[in-house]
Amino acid sequence: MNNNILKVHSIFKKLNVGNIKILNVNQNSPSIIVNNNNNNNNNNNNNNNNSSFSNNKNQSILSSAYKGNNNNNNNKLSYTTSSNNNNNNNNNNNNNKIEEIVKSIKVSPFTPLNILHPKLVGEKLYSNDIEANNNQKEFKAEISTLPNGIRVVSKQTHEGVCAIGLYINAGTKYESAADRGVFNLLEKMTFKETKNNSTSEIIKELEEISMNAMASSSREMINVSLEVLRKDLEFVLSILSDQIKSPIYSEEELNEQIEVCIRNYEMITNSSSDQLMTEILMGVAFGSDGGLGNLVIATPEQYQSITRDKLFDTLRKYYVGKNIVISVTGAEHSQVIQLVDKYFGDIPFTQNDTPSEHSIDSTITYKGGTDACVAGLIHKNHLKSQLQFLIEKQQKLKENLNNNNNNNNNNNNNNNNNNIDNIDNNNIDNNIDDNNNNEEELLNLEIEQTKISIEQLELQQVKESSWIIAFPHSGLSTVAENKDIINGLVLQSLLGGGSSYSTGGPGKGMQSRLNLNVVYSSHRVKNCHAFLFVFNKVSLFGISLTTQSGFLQDGIELVLQELLMLRSTMTQQELERAKRSQKSQILQNLEMRSVQCDDMARHILSFGSYKSPEQICKLIDSVTLDDIKKLISKLAQSNPSVVSIVANENEPILTAEQYNQIVKQNSSTLFK
């Protein structure tokens, strides 16, 4: 008898591998002996002994699964295959021992796969047997409007999970100079204490039921989204309703979130990140006096000026029925309507001072132009202004300390030292002095840290320069009228882009023009890609570029060569690849519940209806070479917005005026 020892980890208590049943493993030394009665001639007898353990395939399965050691015979546990009748008597004792060991094994803390998980008890995917039998049908988005103006869009799915989103038609484009940063701060105050629940209670409940809970704000929208099991839909809607109707906005939490916003501002301005470039670009394209030109982030001084009253006033003014869209995937539309009406039905349609989106959009005009700065300059200026503020605060504190000391000396000279009331007053004054001294020490420390940060920033050597060019394009609201946005999406895929380091793979644009002809042209190009920033009225189509210091001008020439010569050099094959790539990206993204929920809500907010993925794909298929050529001509001949963040002030750049001059001089060749 040959003994093949297979090492098995003790977690494997009971496994079935092929027709070999491994009942248990010795807890002290987890190994198994396979009693193999076959000799070396078994290879000739495999067809006659199907149930024997002569099949080498079974041995290889066990060996590869457990990485067994065939040379170790210590502490062995024996058993035989079911077809080995000759050894039954010899193994009865062993089988009895195995059964005793099985009974003594502790129960796993994990729920077995053949038992319904406690979290899913009571969950019913379909409302009736007819729907369950018809579970392969295609679900479509349904839209309804409540009497108070709240729009509800939902789409049933075959899953037992819901994606829920609350979308508010509000954002930084609605902010005036007096309330800059208020919407960003409102977003940060989501899931905080209300009149009905404390912050800890809300967080605890959401942690138990939600797979993903987040809030975000942008220029045109604020949204709160969650993913939960279908049975928790009502609870989530009640939480979201409570956030709108009964917030507290305590001073402690407000100050805490103001500090978070200030840290975000410092983090963004202390780099040449894409977000910083985007913020500067929006100011150049639409002006910095309001509308889309407003930055998503505000300055520290603007955040610190926001009070609880301002938050409540903004909530009252903008969180009204006509501005709200609630989007849900994975639930019956009738159920969603009923729950939304229950928890949001008493929200007013509008307020007297609620601005309309049309009135705001009518003031938005595209301007264009050029802006350039040295990397780190924005953050350096912020640190210098902060240092000046701290020094002024320190001087005021010293003046207050001197005044308090003079007052204390006068009081001590005029009052009787034996008076008990006077002793109490002296103790209070001493406590005030101690607090002031502590505050002065903290101020001194903060001033020193700010000075060190300024010195480090001045010594810092930036090795990269960035450049971005953008052109005005049609807004999302035009989708119902034409396919300009669709043409822009296809052009974006056609130009594509990439970075100097990429793992490759499908959908990463490895064969796109900007990647092949710009990024791969030189190791000094760090990244280059086309983008389309979509807004309701006016969008921006452009190209961004990052290179090593000293190579920016050469990189810009490569970008302009691709952009301006694309009209005459692109092929039908490239166009078809770009259309397939764009459809693939859209459909792949819509497989995520949160993206599908967000997509439906954005459509409703922008143009009041919903275009299905099938409709979007048909529009993409209808794009022709002439459509792309017309779009390129329109973009290239418009006044661009150009932003540069360079490593040093001697780095040459291309301005909007210089670009316009190049296009004008070559228009007869480029656009014939």
Side-chain angles (χ1 to χ4, degrees):
M1 181 179 70
N2 297 325
N3 291 333
N4 296 324
I5 309 297
L6 301 180
K7 282 286 184 180
V8 184
H9 195 274
S10 59
I11 193 173
F12 298 106
K13 306 299 182 185
K14 188 174 181 180
L15 297 175
N16 286 292
V17 182
N19 61 346
I20 306 302
K21 189 175 184 181
I22 302 175
L23 292 178
N24 204 340
V25 178
N26 189 306
Q27 296 293 317
N28 296 322
S29 180
S31 59
I32 295 177
I33 288 186
V34 178
N35 292 328
N36 191 342
N37 295 326
N38 300 301
N39 54 30
N40 295 332
N41 296 325
N42 276 341
N43 293 334
N44 298 326
N45 300 323
N46 281 341
N47 295 331
N48 298 326
N49 190 11
N50 293 329
S51 62
S52 69
F53 195 42
S54 60
N55 193 330
N56 289 328
K57 181 178 180 182
N58 285 339
Q59 291 184 1
S60 65
I61 291 175
L62 288 169
S63 299
S64 62
Y66 304 121
K67 300 179 180 179
N69 182 357
N70 293 332
N71 298 320
N72 187 356
N73 294 324
N74 296 327
N75 297 326
K76 297 172 289 190
L77 180 65
S78 301
Y79 77 96
T80 60
T81 59
S82 58
S83 63
N84 195 349
N85 296 324
N86 295 329
N87 293 325
N88 284 342
N89 294 330
N90 295 331
N91 289 296
N92 284 337
N93 293 333
N94 286 334
N95 290 336
N96 291 335
K97 292 179 180 179
I98 290 171
E99 292 177 1
E100 291 177 1
I101 295 173
V102 169
K103 292 178 181 179
S104 65
I105 295 174
K106 295 181 180 180
V107 179
S108 170
F110 303 104
T111 304
L113 295 178
N114 60 344
I115 297 177
L116 188 66
H117 194 280
K119 288 283 186 181
L120 297 175
V121 174
E123 178 70 8
K124 192 173 182 181
L125 184 58
Y126 301 103
S127 60
N128 52 56
D129 294 336
I130 297 176
E131 184 183 353
N133 293 331
N134 194 28
N135 61 3
Q136 296 301 318
K137 69 179 181 180
E138 291 291 332
F139 295 115
K140 295 183 179 181
E142 299 180 71
I143 305 170
S144 299
T145 303
L146 297 184
N148 64 345
I150 293 179
R151 288 163 289 180
V152 180
V153 55
S154 71
K155 185 178 182 181
Q156 177 63 290
T157 65
H158 299 295
E159 301 177 299
V161 178
C162 289
I164 307 158
L166 170 67
Y167 297 82
I168 313 297
N169 195 8
T172 55
K173 81 173 184 180
Y174 293 93
E175 291 177 351
S176 64
D179 55 11
R180 287 289 292 112
V182 66
F183 286 110
N184 186 214
L185 196 54
L186 269 177
E187 169 233 315
K188 300 296 183 188
M189 295 299 291
T190 308
F191 304 129
K192 295 297 185 288
E193 184 180 8
T194 67
K195 296 176 182 177
N196 302 313
N197 298 287
S198 66
T199 302
S200 59
E201 290 173 342
I202 295 171
I203 298 301
K204 182 180 178 181
E205 291 288 348
L206 292 180
E207 283 180 344
E208 290 181 356
I209 67 168
S210 178
M211 292 177 285
N212 184 19
M214 61 173 291
S216 65
S217 61
S218 63
R219 285 176 167 79
E220 297 187 313
M221 184 179 68
I222 295 177
N223 78 284
V224 183
S225 60
L226 303 94
E227 292 184 38
V228 296
L229 294 175
R230 189 177 297 180
K231 63 186 180 65
D232 296 317
L233 171 62
E234 180 172 3
F235 174 75
V236 169
L237 289 175
S238 68
I239 289 290
L240 295 179
S241 171
D242 197 37
Q243 290 291 308
I244 294 177
K245 297 191 289 186
S246 306
I248 291 181
Y249 299 148
S250 67
E251 288 288 351
E252 181 181 356
E253 290 183 330
L254 176 60
N255 292 331
E256 179 182 314
Q257 295 309 310
I258 287 176
E259 288 298 319
V260 171
C261 291
I262 292 174
R263 296 294 173 263
N264 289 341
Y265 173 86
E266 293 174 347
M267 185 173 15
I268 293 171
T269 57
N270 189 26
S271 66
S272 300
S273 64
D274 290 342
Q275 186 172 357
L276 177 60
M277 292 282 287
T278 301
E279 294 300 309
I280 299 174
L281 174 66
M282 295 301 293
V284 173
F286 300 104
S288 56
D289 53 351
L292 290 176
N294 282 339
L295 304 183
V296 173
I297 54 173
T299 64
E301 294 77 16
Q302 289 169 329
Y303 282 125
Q304 289 169 345
S305 67
I306 298 174
T307 63
R308 292 178 67 245
D309 291 338
K310 186 173 291 187
L311 289 181
F312 281 118
D313 185 61
T314 304
L315 187 78
R316 175 194 62 80
K317 188 188 300 185
Y318 290 95
Y319 284 56
V320 293
K322 71 171 188 175
N323 286 344
I324 295 177
V325 171
I326 294 177
S327 179
V328 178
T329 66
E332 288 286 350
H333 189 68
S334 58
Q335 179 193 10
V336 177
I337 288 292
Q338 181 181 1
L339 293 175
V340 171
D341 186 51
K342 176 180 178 181
Y343 292 104
F344 296 85
D346 56 346
I347 292 177
F349 175 79
T350 187
Q351 300 287 354
N352 294 331
D353 53 352
T354 301
S356 66
E357 185 177 20
H358 176 73
S359 65
I360 299 296
D361 285 345
S362 62
T363 63
I364 295 175
T365 56
Y366 176 82
K367 298 179 180 179
T370 305
D371 193 4
C373 66
V374 177
L377 182 62
I378 297 175
H379 186 56
K380 188 188 298 183
N381 291 337
H382 161 65
L383 289 176
K384 288 182 177 179
S385 63
Q386 185 181 26
L387 179 62
Q388 183 64 31
F389 170 77
L390 292 174
I391 292 173
E392 292 176 357
K393 187 176 180 180
Q394 184 186 48
Q395 291 174 348
K396 291 180 180 179
L397 183 62
K398 287 181 178 180
E399 292 176 0
N400 291 334
L401 283 173
N402 292 332
N403 292 334
N404 289 335
N405 290 333
N406 292 332
N407 292 333
N408 290 336
N409 291 332
N410 293 331
N411 291 333
N412 289 333
N413 292 330
N414 296 329
N415 295 325
N416 187 351
N417 291 332
N418 295 326
N419 190 297
I420 296 177
D421 292 337
N422 189 52
I423 294 175
D424 293 337
N425 290 333
N426 286 335
N427 290 333
I428 294 173
D429 291 336
N430 290 333
N431 290 334
I432 293 174
D433 290 340
D434 291 339
N435 292 334
N436 288 334
N437 290 330
N438 291 334
E439 186 176 356
E440 185 179 17
E441 290 178 2
L442 291 174
L443 265 177
N444 292 334
L445 180 61
E446 194 169 356
I447 289 172
E448 290 301 319
Q449 289 176 340
T450 305
K451 289 180 179 179
I452 293 172
S453 297
I454 293 174
E455 292 175 359
Q456 290 176 343
L457 198 59
E458 290 175 345
L459 295 173
Q460 183 179 351
Q461 292 184 349
V462 180
K463 299 180 180 181
E464 295 181 354
S465 296
S466 299
W467 180 80
I468 190 169
I469 185 170
F471 307 91
H473 189 49
S474 300
L476 187 59
S477 59
T478 64
V479 169
E481 305 167 2
N482 55 59
K483 58 178 184 180
D484 285 351
I485 284 288
I486 304 300
N487 294 338
L489 291 172
V490 174
L491 178 58
Q492 179 191 3
S493 292
L494 200 153
L495 286 170
S499 62
S500 57
Y501 173 77
S502 175
T503 56
K508 294 191 176 180
M510 303 298 289
Q511 299 301 315
S512 64
R513 280 184 166 248
L514 291 179
N515 193 59
L516 291 176
N517 303 329
V518 178
V519 178
Y520 284 179
S521 66
S522 173
H523 69 279
R524 302 185 69 181
V525 177
K526 294 304 179 182
N527 65 69
C528 180
H529 64 269
F531 62 85
L532 178 60
F533 296 154
V534 179
F535 301 104
N536 189 42
K537 182 182 179 183
V538 183
S539 301
L540 291 178
F541 183 94
I543 299 173
S544 69
L545 171 72
T546 300
T547 71
Q548 289 182 3
S549 175
F551 193 76
L552 185 61
Q553 186 176 19
D554 296 328
I556 292 173
E557 291 179 4
L558 293 172
V559 169
L560 293 184
Q561 179 75 15
E562 285 304 311
L563 176 64
L564 298 179
M565 297 305 295
L566 177 63
R567 188 176 182 275
S568 59
T569 59
M570 68 177 177
T571 64
Q572 184 66 37
Q573 183 181 8
E574 286 180 304
L575 176 62
E576 294 302 322
R577 182 192 294 126
K579 292 196 290 186
R580 289 194 298 269
S581 175
Q582 188 58 236
K583 289 190 294 183
S584 174
Q585 291 178 35
I586 290 173
L587 296 176
Q588 187 176 9
N589 288 334
L590 288 176
E591 289 180 359
M592 293 185 286
R593 289 179 290 266
S594 58
V595 174
Q596 189 178 75
C597 182
D598 184 80
D599 185 62
M600 294 191 299
R602 287 178 185 271
H603 284 209
I604 302 302
L605 282 174
S606 297
F607 50 90
S609 61
Y610 176 65
K611 284 192 176 294
S612 67
E614 294 77 16
Q615 291 174 303
I616 297 295
C617 287
K618 286 182 180 179
L619 289 173
I620 292 174
D621 288 332
S622 68
V623 176
T624 64
L625 277 174
D626 287 339
D627 293 332
I628 300 300
K629 289 179 179 180
K630 290 177 182 178
L631 177 58
I632 294 172
S633 298
K634 178 182 176 182
L635 294 174
Q637 296 181 81
S638 59
N639 184 36
S641 298
V642 177
V643 174
S644 301
I645 298 182
V646 294
N648 59 76
E649 58 186 10
N650 297 321
E651 186 92 62
I653 62 171
L654 181 79
T655 65
E657 293 76 13
Q658 292 170 332
Y659 169 85
N660 290 331
Q661 188 176 0
I662 292 172
V663 171
K664 186 177 180 180
Q665 291 174 350
N666 298 276
S667 59
S668 59
T669 304
L670 296 174
F671 310 115
K672 61 181 179 181

